[in-house]
Amino acid sequence: MDQREDIQMQQVQRELTELFQAIHAEIPIYLFAQPGKNDVFSDAARQALRFFRQITDKIVLREHELTHESAKKWKIEHSPTLVFDPERYNIRWLGAPMGEEGRIFLEALILIGSQKSNLNEQSLQVIKKIDQPRHIKVFVSATCPYCPQQALNALKAAVEKPDLISLEIIDIQANPELATQYSAQSVPQTYANDILIAQGAQPEELFMLSLDTMEQQTVFIPESDEQEVETDLVIVGGGPAGLSAGIYASRSGLKTVVVEKGVLGGQVATTPIVENYPGFKQVGGKTLVDIMVTHALEYVQIFPGEEVRGVEPGKPIIVQTSRRRFNTKAVLMATGATYRNLGVPGESRLGGHGVSYCSTCDGPLFKNKKVIIVGGGNSAATEALHMHHIGVHVTLVHRRDNLRAQDFLVKNLIQNNIPILFNTQVKEIKGKQNVEEVLLYNNKTEELSTLPVSGVFIAIGYDPAVGLAKEIGLELTEEGYIRHDQYRTNIPGIYTSGDVAGGYKQIVTAAGHGAEAALTIFEDMINPYWT
Ligand code: NAP
């Protein structure tokens, strides 16, 4: 170490000493290291501990081999493993804090020593909902600059809820076999109860959301406790129509909110690949939704998971949801459409046991297995291609002798040799616990046959979601869509756009109509057409 480095090191030590002065609790650490097993990492762990013990006398260190009784008691199998304050927490480090990981180690000492998670308010709101155990594994490496942030998120969670949340920070160089087992080829990678919940580093509150929902989350929407909200416009439905209407209305100066009872993005969220939305040659449906939601959040408040229970026309219009009441000047009904059922025996009984309406959600479970997709439209074709590409043996079953899907998709089906059974109807879905076979009827030859399959994916179109519209007293068209004239329904102040209003049912048309509806609403507020 030259003189300059020496001075720098003394400076670092001084700053760290100051940092640790605020820590009053002991930090018990156990190092389990087996001579002959990963000695380089064990030595690095000892070195890191030695360094920090010069700075603080709070670290109480004990070192044992893997044969020690406490290693057996705590089921420690990897050398080296660091165990932090096991009386209070369930936090382990498989490997040694080298390189970038030194930052994680420092944070771990501070959080454990101060016995505080330091979570922000939004994260606390999310984590308090977790009521089942979560065992987190965060895979990290010494050379990964993004790893400390993700490991810190996990540490904070484990410190906040020690009774339910346990953590293993796993160095992939010290534990290549675990990295292979979990396919952790790019770090940081995070699992909860062995389910992948994050790839890459996340903002703190998004991490907590992924941990709560046990799914990869990319957008965080803050919760609101407000019981009564004054707005200019309430948009019912958070699909492309509702989100783009939100952006346009807010930019026009209207105080706008979007209320969505189910999944933001509607049908797009479960579309495997979108290939005809301008600006994106190919984009995953969920990714496109995340981009739209993130954009909309710049302007509007979104209330996800909240159902509109009633709309009372008047001045103001009262929108009662499952959580609160909105007093508003206008309402845009953008409730979209819901998937259609086949209505055959076995369909509802085996729902979730092989019968599915969402290939993006459930497709991966059927890898190397045989499934049918029922339908002949764009959805059936897109989903058949998606399933084929993820390794599912898929057959398309269509009731007529030609497909309704776009030519481009039909050519793609043929190029990929995806079998298509034309003039074929599903008469029954059979199976004890899970789908085992389908009974098919050829309406040309009038023959019945059975086909053994593990899955039945139904993609036969959508019906407009008009339940609420009917309750409010909105008029419907003969086809069952909300009747409107330039987005204005029969009730003043209530508008509609998107799939529930009829039309082409394309993402781009829904977004366009949403924008037009918002502009109409804005103009009507300036010059009310009903007065
Ligand atoms: P769709 O276009 O209405 O097609 C539904 C298909 O299901 C039709 O082939 C229909 O058969 C069949 N079907 C309906 N009821 C049935 C029943 N009871 N039994 C058996 N088959 C039945 O629905 P979609 O494919 O879900 O598409 C909905 C909308 O979204 C469309 O406007 C579509 O263009 C759009 N979309 C677009 C894309 C894209 O642009 N890439 C992707 C997905 C969806 P028949 O042909 O005999 O009527």
Side-chain angles (χ1 to χ4, degrees):
M1 204 183 286
D2 65 23
Q3 205 188 352
R4 222 180 90 239
E5 281 174 340
D6 197 27
I7 292 168
Q8 275 176 349
M9 183 51 99
Q10 284 173 17
Q11 170 74 10
V12 169
Q13 288 195 342
R14 262 198 308 279
E15 283 174 17
L16 287 174
T17 309
E18 258 172 52
L19 206 59
F20 277 99
Q21 265 162 10
I23 286 167
H24 302 294
E26 279 191 347
I27 310 171
I29 299 181
Y30 292 76
L31 169 63
F32 291 90
Q34 192 62 35
K37 272 192 180 174
N38 263 343
D39 286 338
V40 179
F41 291 93
S42 303
D43 286 344
R46 284 187 198 103
Q47 220 174 338
L49 284 160
R50 202 174 307 132
F51 173 79
F52 282 103
R53 290 182 78 199
Q54 284 166 15
I55 290 163
T56 174
D57 58 2
K58 297 289 180 247
I59 297 174
V60 180
L61 177 67
R62 288 180 193 87
E63 181 172 341
H64 300 300
E65 294 186 3
L66 288 186
T67 46
H68 190 265
E69 57 183 29
S70 52
K72 288 193 188 114
K73 187 172 89 187
W74 294 331
K75 297 195 174 73
I76 310 275
E77 292 166 355
H78 299 269
S79 174
T81 296
L82 290 155
V83 178
F84 297 84
D85 197 353
E87 297 283 310
R88 198 177 296 273
Y89 303 113
N90 198 337
I91 300 174
R92 292 172 185 191
W93 189 307
L94 279 61
M98 295 160 89
E100 297 283 349
E101 295 167 45
R103 281 156 54 201
I104 313 174
F105 193 66
L106 172 62
E107 296 280 6
L109 295 179
I110 291 170
L111 292 181
I112 290 163
S114 64
Q115 298 175 1
K116 281 197 200 121
S117 69
N118 293 341
L119 282 172
N120 68 37
E121 208 36 57
Q122 287 178 339
S123 301
L124 285 170
Q125 290 290 332
V126 181
I127 202 171
K128 78 175 178 205
K129 291 194 278 186
I130 297 178
D131 57 3
Q132 294 296 318
R134 299 280 189 271
H135 180 66
I136 310 173
K137 288 188 174 78
V138 185
F139 287 88
V140 299
S141 84
T143 49
C144 155
Y146 310 104
C147 289
Q149 185 186 332
Q150 190 70 351
L152 178 59
N153 289 336
L155 274 165
K156 287 181 172 182
V159 169
E160 179 63 31
K161 278 213 158 167
D163 47 332
L164 285 179
I165 301 175
S166 59
L167 167 65
E168 280 175 303
I169 296 171
I170 303 170
D171 179 289
I172 57 167
Q173 272 110 16
N175 299 278
E177 72 297 344
L178 282 177
T180 309
Q181 187 188 333
Y182 283 84
S183 308
Q185 274 123 8
S186 90
V187 286
Q189 208 167 102
T190 312
Y191 292 80
N193 302 356
D194 285 346
I195 294 169
L196 182 65
I197 60 159
Q199 273 172 308
Q202 297 173 294
E204 185 186 291
E205 52 277 5
L206 217 48
F207 175 90
M208 302 307 152
L209 195 63
S210 304
L211 190 60
D212 176 35
T213 57
M214 301 280 281
E215 276 179 2
Q216 300 192 47
Q217 301 286 339
T218 46
V219 183
F220 181 78
I221 301 172
E223 292 225 347
S224 159
D225 291 332
E226 276 180 288
Q227 289 303 301
E228 198 158 333
V229 186
E230 306 292 322
T231 61
D232 293 318
L233 173 62
V234 173
I235 297 171
V236 189
L243 294 172
S244 81
I247 294 170
Y248 270 77
S250 289
R251 285 174 60 92
S252 302
L254 305 184
K255 187 180 178 220
T256 305
V257 297
V258 174
V259 183
E260 166 59 61
K261 74 167 175 181
V263 179
L264 282 166
Q267 295 161 49
V268 189
T270 55
T271 303
I273 296 287
V274 175
E275 291 182 309
N276 49 9
Y277 193 76
F280 297 91
K281 193 172 162 204
Q282 229 187 35
V283 59
K286 179 71 172 64
T287 306
L288 183 59
V289 168
D290 286 347
I291 294 169
M292 286 184 183
V293 172
T294 308
H295 187 182
L297 279 171
E298 292 286 317
Y299 298 99
V300 294
Q301 199 172 356
I302 299 181
F303 296 86
E306 198 163 320
E307 186 177 4
V308 175
R309 298 261 164 90
V311 177
E312 245 178 71
K315 281 185 178 175
I317 301 170
I318 294 164
V319 177
Q320 182 64 51
T321 73
S322 45
R323 304 260 318 252
R324 72 200 92 230
R325 163 192 163 132
F326 294 91
N327 301 323
T328 186
K329 294 179 186 147
V331 172
L332 175 66
M333 299 289 290
T335 46
T338 49
Y339 59 75
R340 210 174 272 158
N341 294 312
L342 265 180
V344 297
E347 181 182 11
S348 66
R349 181 175 61 84
L350 293 166
H353 299 277
V355 173
S356 171
Y357 302 84
C358 178
S359 69
T360 9
C361 320
D362 304 330
L365 303 171
F366 293 86
K367 195 169 174 195
N368 296 326
K369 293 187 180 162
K370 279 190 187 167
V371 308
I372 56 164
I373 291 189
V374 188
N378 283 334
S379 298
T382 310
E383 292 183 20
L385 285 161
H386 166 69
M387 300 272 266
H388 173 79
H389 291 311
I390 60 172
V392 180
H393 302 298
V394 57
T395 299
L396 198 64
V397 174
H398 181 40
R399 65 182 178 185
R400 286 189 303 116
D401 59 0
N402 68 348
L403 300 175
R404 174 191 289 269
Q406 284 165 359
D407 198 38
F408 177 83
L409 292 169
V410 176
K411 281 190 184 139
N412 235 331
L413 289 172
I414 295 164
Q415 271 164 11
N416 283 285
N417 294 321
I418 294 176
I420 306 174
L421 301 177
F422 286 106
N423 302 311
T424 304
Q425 285 163 258
V426 176
K427 285 289 173 196
E428 189 176 349
I429 304 168
K430 296 182 179 180
K432 280 200 191 86
Q433 303 290 326
N434 297 303
V435 170
E436 288 164 23
E437 59 181 30
V438 281
L439 180 63
L440 301 176
Y441 172 69
N442 185 311
N443 53 32
K444 274 271 154 63
T445 62
E446 298 188 350
E447 275 170 18
L448 280 170
S449 61
T450 53
L451 185 69
V453 287
S454 309
V456 177
F457 285 77
I458 299 166
I460 59 169
Y462 296 84
D463 291 321
V466 288
L468 180 65
K470 281 188 195 162
E471 279 172 34
I472 304 170
L474 298 180
E475 280 173 17
L476 304 185
T477 63
E478 289 70 41
E479 295 83 32
Y481 297 96
I482 299 178
R483 188 185 294 285
H484 67 99
D485 177 12
Q486 291 298 308
Y487 312 107
R488 298 173 180 117
T489 70
N490 58 307
I491 300 182
I494 303 187
Y495 299 77
T496 187
S497 73
D499 283 1
V500 75
Y504 283 111
K505 300 192 193 64
Q506 298 292 306
I507 308 167
V508 68
T509 54
H513 291 164
E516 280 194 358
L519 295 173
T520 305
I521 294 166
F522 174 69
E523 280 168 23
D524 285 353
M525 281 205 190
I526 300 167
N527 300 307
Y529 67 92
W530 54 88
T531 55

